[in-house]
Amino acid sequence: MLVAMERLSYPILPRLIYAGLWCLLLPALLLFILFRSLRQPGYRRHLGERFGNYHTSCNAPIWLHAASLGEVKAAAPLLKALRAEHPALPLLITCQTPAGRQAAAALPFEDCHVVYLPFDAGWTVRRFLRHFNPRIALVFETEIWPVLFLETRRRGIALMIVNARMTERSLSRYRRIGGVLRAAMAMPDAIACQSSEDAARYRKAGADAAAVCVTGNIKWDLVPDPERVAEAKRQRHAWPQQPVWLAASSHEHEEAAVLSMHRALLARHPQALLLWAPRHPERFNAVVTAIEMQGLAVARRSTQLWPDDRTRVFVIDTMGELSAFMPCADVVFVGGSLQAIGGHNVMEPAVYGLPILVGPHTAHFADSVAALKAGGGLIQCPDADTLQSELAALLEDESRRMHMAKANADTVAVNCGALEKTKALVSRRLA
């Protein structure tokens, strides 16, 4: 389904307002990037790419935009499937964060190019599209960029949003802003949604009803690397520490709660081990300092491959390695859920057969949290105190943990299949 040529524009007044806002915001965005670069130097690197200046090139690639680390990891199986089906086509991945770019660059694909997405201004977007001339544009999950969408379709490039999701909060914001954002929603010729609820929200936001379909969530289709799983289990069997739990993707205002939970656990189990993966690299040093101030023996993945016998907290301060430690854990707490972030990926620990704990804020993963909770493999806690109690109870009840692991395996089996459906949609447009 292609958008008719007469629709390939936006109302003049909203378009001028949007362009004017970019002119006003661009200096502030540059200052923000430079400020972020004080903690993450990666933000300073490749700055020209955000203005459409690129040193790498490829002709007519399959282009996928994955904003940050989580989206890159989730999109990797789709890229692998597309590469297997279309081995002669180059791949282009655009990101917006250094962590996402680093993870994309580490993917094991030949003829794969990774760059930053340009700012959403006409001249930067047109330079990007002229330089790479993508064969197809795949936008992963939630990114809506009006100028990018318009210029992509004007060049006759098929545009798809894959693994699309939209929260009620986002829908309210889009409908409130209206204008050019609502018009942008009508630009994709396919929107492959995670759920029927997401599909309904996209239609309400302005998407063409004929373009919207439900394929499911690709994140259910993760297949763990058997060699990495076997290595992790070998390491775990060698550790004297018992029990072992994992705090995944924690945010700054969750760190005190994670430390408190582990200190309470150590009071009952002096040999307990916490594997801790803060969400953002700029928090790595602060987390290590906080642990040291509590007098706990801490080690870091960047300087020590695995915990030693003395380690009570092991900080995973490297990017893209969280899954390597999941087979080592008895229980996982998924962060971004005690702090009002909206939660992070709960499907990955479910695939690895882990009982899952989350806090009350899970809007970004509402459907998967509901499915796992209904199946009996996930416990949602209203606050940190309840989370601490549930963690202690689970770690002392192996039978319950095994039951939850089985429940999660069953839920994963019921929900997988989105990868094949999405790949088929993309491949039809590449034929």
Side-chain angles (χ1 to χ4, degrees), residues 23-262:
C23 290
L24 292 172
L25 288 174
L26 196 55
L29 281 172
L30 286 172
L31 287 174
F32 175 75
I33 288 172
L34 292 173
F35 176 75
R36 290 292 299 268
S37 73
L38 296 176
R39 291 187 175 183
Q40 287 184 268
Y43 275 99
R44 282 196 301 273
R45 301 185 190 116
H46 312 289
L47 190 59
E49 293 180 352
R50 300 185 189 268
F51 294 92
N53 296 315
Y54 298 97
H55 298 295
T56 185
S57 63
C58 56
N59 185 47
I62 297 173
W63 164 38
L64 182 137
H65 176 62
S68 59
L69 173 63
E71 287 80 9
V72 170
K73 289 176 63 179
L78 177 60
L79 289 168
K80 182 179 179 181
L82 291 172
R83 168 49 57 86
E85 193 157 303
H86 308 277
L89 298 182
L91 299 176
L92 173 66
I93 305 172
T94 55
C95 304
Q96 287 170 274
T97 68
R101 185 188 175 115
Q102 183 180 344
L107 293 174
F109 301 129
E110 295 291 332
D111 199 10
C112 180
H113 306 261
V114 182
V115 298
Y116 283 126
L117 188 74
F119 291 129
D120 199 43
W123 59 281
T124 60
V125 168
R126 286 190 289 272
R127 290 173 77 175
F128 167 79
L129 293 173
R130 282 196 303 268
H131 186 84
F132 290 108
N133 188 31
R135 187 179 302 262
I136 192 171
L138 309 176
V139 177
F140 203 82
E141 288 201 348
T142 58
E143 297 283 297
I144 309 295
W145 294 108
V147 173
L148 184 74
F149 282 18
L150 176 62
E151 295 296 338
T152 297
R153 295 312 313 276
R154 278 179 168 171
R155 291 182 68 89
I157 300 166
L159 171 64
M160 298 177 61
I161 305 177
V162 296
N163 216 48
R165 63 182 175 89
M166 183 182 293
T167 64
E168 282 292 338
R169 182 180 178 183
S170 294
L171 173 61
S172 297
R173 185 168 64 248
Y174 292 144
R175 296 178 80 176
R176 189 165 56 247
I177 296 172
V180 72
L181 280 174
R182 182 172 180 82
M185 291 289 184
M187 286 292 161
D189 68 310
I191 302 176
C193 296
Q194 295 181 13
S195 70
S196 56
E197 292 80 9
D198 290 307
R201 293 181 194 119
Y202 269 95
R203 293 187 193 100
K204 289 178 183 177
D208 191 317
V212 178
C213 62
V214 178
T215 52
N217 194 332
I218 290 173
K219 293 176 183 177
W220 292 111
D221 290 88
L222 173 70
V223 178
D225 182 337
E227 291 185 6
R228 294 186 78 179
V229 170
E231 172 62 14
K233 289 185 174 180
R234 280 195 297 271
Q235 292 294 332
R236 169 66 193 268
H237 289 320
W239 300 344
Q241 292 95 330
Q242 293 287 347
V244 179
W245 69 290
L246 172 64
S249 299
S250 65
H251 287 253
E252 180 176 1
H253 298 303
E254 296 173 319
E255 292 164 6
V258 171
L259 263 177
S260 177
M261 284 189 279
H262 193 54

Side-chain angles (χ1 to χ4, degrees), residues 337-338 358-361 379-387 390:
S337 59
L338 274 178
V358 295
H361 305 289
I379 299 171
Q380 188 162 23
C381 304
D383 51 46
D385 290 339
T386 307
L387 193 62
E390 291 287 359

Side-chain angles (χ1 to χ4, degrees), residues 228-302:
R228 294 186 78 179
V229 170
E231 172 62 14
K233 289 185 174 180
R234 280 195 297 271
Q235 292 294 332
R236 169 66 193 268
H237 289 320
W239 300 344
Q241 292 95 330
Q242 293 287 347
V244 179
W245 69 290
L246 172 64
S249 299
S250 65
H251 287 253
E252 180 176 1
H253 298 303
E254 296 173 319
E255 292 164 6
V258 171
L259 263 177
S260 177
M261 284 189 279
H262 193 54
R263 287 195 63 84
L265 188 63
L266 285 168
R268 301 168 64 133
H269 303 278
Q271 289 288 97
L273 173 65
L274 165 61
L275 306 171
W276 192 350
R279 179 71 176 181
H280 296 119
E282 61 264 33
R283 296 302 304 166
F284 291 159
N285 290 336
V287 165
V288 170
T289 299
I291 297 165
E292 290 173 338
M293 290 179 66
Q294 294 287 321
L296 301 177
V298 59
R300 304 172 66 138
R301 172 68 169 177
S302 59

